[in-house]
Amino acid sequence: MNFKDVYSNAKVSFLRWRANRREEKKSEVKEKWERGHRAVLVVLCVLFALYALTIIYPLGWMLVNSLKTKQEFLNNPWPMPQQLMFSNYVEVFQMFDLASMLFNSLSLSLTVPTASLFATACVSYAVAKYKFPGKRVLYFIAISIMFIPTTGSLPVMFRLMHDLHLYDTLIGMILKGATGFGMNFLILYGIFSGVSDTYAEAAKIDGASNWRVFLQIMMPQARSTMFAVWILGFIGNWNDYASAYMFYPSHETLAVGLKRVSDNITTAGDFTLDYPKLFAAVIITITPVIIIFAACQKQIIRLNMGGGIKG
């Protein structure tokens, strides 16, 4: 073996050693990063678990105490009930006419988000896909409205609904909610802006009208996002106290009626200090929202759009 062969073998061995050393360093760095990553995940899990506990525990405590008698709760609210008093739910449902409140809440929570979503989809689609004079001004107005405090427009809205004879009517509440602007406008504007025009062009070649392109081509592209927006609108209207109290007073919703139930129990009423019945009314009020959110949480979290162009 000559000097050249010895040199080549030594060089190859050195290169292999350096490559192995690099791999070992990469493995060490990767292992350290994974350990740090796991530690961060553990801390976050603990924090979120504590946060979830602060939400779940009051609900569980309220559910347990809604099944007690008045005297049992006043004596000690912490132990489990000696006897399950499901009659609290029946009595509070009958005495305070929660069925009527439930109907009013459902009528508002189903119609207002639907009208609002359709109006917002029309406006956001037109601004995103069509060119017309004042397009930038309209977009600026849509954003500027979000900076106006709600309390600043309430007197004008109250007077307007009175003058148009829409006060205390379901049609008035629907028209009030179908503004077409707000945060939902920005969400749907971004969605429609990201949809390729190839869909619309192909449909128009086949003779589709603008409305057909919008209803059958564009809206299905944004259906997951629109469904999530509708669910959030449903929950928002279900929990809305101010609008129903001010503009829909003779049609008591659960959010408004719960205040009457609370006043009847905490002040001089037929159920004075009967807090288990108040807890039962609260459980009845929040149960539909919890069920809907639990069933649709994936759609709410995703807020994305399906579909795409291959090519």
Side-chain angles (χ1 to χ4, degrees):
M1 182 180 294
N2 54 26
F3 176 77
K4 186 176 181 180
D5 292 336
V6 172
Y7 174 77
S8 298
N9 292 334
K11 184 178 181 180
V12 171
S13 300
F14 173 75
L15 293 175
R16 287 178 179 175
W17 174 84
R18 189 169 65 175
N20 293 333
R21 185 58 182 169
R22 287 178 178 175
E23 291 296 327
E24 290 176 359
K25 288 184 177 180
K26 288 181 180 179
S27 299
E28 292 176 359
V29 171
K30 184 178 180 181
E31 185 177 354
K32 290 181 180 178
W33 184 87
E34 289 180 351
R35 286 200 300 266
H37 185 62
R38 285 195 295 268
V40 172
L41 287 179
V42 170
V43 173
L44 289 177
C45 288
V46 172
L47 292 177
F48 282 119
L50 293 175
Y51 174 71
L53 184 62
T54 62
I55 297 175
I56 296 174
Y57 179 77
L59 292 177
W61 182 85
M62 186 167 54
L63 177 62
V64 169
N65 283 284
S66 68
L67 300 174
K68 293 181 179 180
T69 63
K70 171 184 174 180
Q71 195 61 42
E72 186 180 0
F73 172 79
L74 294 177
N75 290 336
N76 192 350
W78 300 110
M80 296 296 291
Q82 298 178 357
Q83 183 179 359
L84 299 180
M85 296 294 296
F86 291 103
S87 59
N88 289 333
Y89 289 85
V90 178
E91 291 180 16
V92 76
F93 201 89
Q94 294 175 346
M95 295 299 297
F96 293 99
D97 195 17
L98 293 189
S100 177
M101 300 180 194
L102 180 62
F103 175 79
N104 293 330
S105 293
L106 282 175
S107 63
L108 284 179
S109 300
L110 291 175
T111 56
V112 174
T114 302
S116 176
L117 180 61
F118 183 74
T120 306
C122 291
V123 176
S124 58
Y125 172 72
V127 175
K129 291 300 184 182
Y130 289 92
K131 296 180 179 180
F132 54 89
K135 175 179 177 179
R136 293 182 179 274
V137 176
L138 185 61
Y139 184 79
F140 176 76
I141 293 174
I143 297 178
S144 301
I145 290 176
M146 300 175 62
F147 294 96
I148 301 176
T150 305
T151 54
S153 61
L154 284 179
V156 178
M157 179 64 68
F158 191 85
R159 180 63 181 272
L160 180 63
M161 293 187 69
H162 259 291
D163 294 343
L164 296 178
H165 303 287
L166 295 174
Y167 180 74
D168 202 17
T169 63
L170 181 60
I171 297 298
M173 295 296 291
I174 293 174
L175 293 177
K176 174 182 172 295
T179 58
F181 294 115
M183 188 63 192
N184 293 340
F185 169 83
L186 296 180
I187 295 174
L188 295 181
Y189 175 84
I191 294 296
F192 287 127
S193 297
V195 178
S196 175
D197 293 332
T198 306
Y199 290 109
E201 293 171 358
K204 289 180 179 179
I205 291 175
D206 293 336
S209 63
N210 291 329
W211 272 108
R212 186 174 181 183
V213 171
F214 172 62
L215 295 175
Q216 297 185 1
I217 304 298
M218 292 299 177
M219 287 187 69
Q221 294 295 317
R223 61 180 177 271
S224 60
T225 301
M226 294 178 67
F227 179 70
V229 169
W230 186 89
I231 290 296
L232 292 176
F234 179 93
I235 295 174
N237 279 275
W238 183 275
N239 296 326
D240 187 14
Y241 173 83
S243 295
Y245 180 77
M246 290 188 63
F247 302 105
Y248 208 47
S250 64
H251 303 81
E252 204 172 42
T253 63
L254 284 171
V256 177
L258 195 61
K259 176 66 166 56
R260 179 166 62 88
V261 176
S262 177
D263 291 342
N264 195 284
I265 290 175
T266 57
T267 59
D270 297 333
F271 299 98
T272 304
L273 299 181
D274 198 348
Y275 287 99
K277 288 185 173 57
L278 176 60
F279 298 151
V282 173
I283 294 296
I284 293 173
T285 302
I286 65 176
T287 297
V289 175
I290 294 176
I291 294 174
I292 291 175
F293 186 85
C296 306
Q297 57 180 324
K298 291 183 179 180
Q299 289 80 1
I300 295 174
I301 294 173
R302 287 175 184 171
L303 272 180
N304 61 357
M305 180 186 65
I309 299 291
K310 293 183 179 180

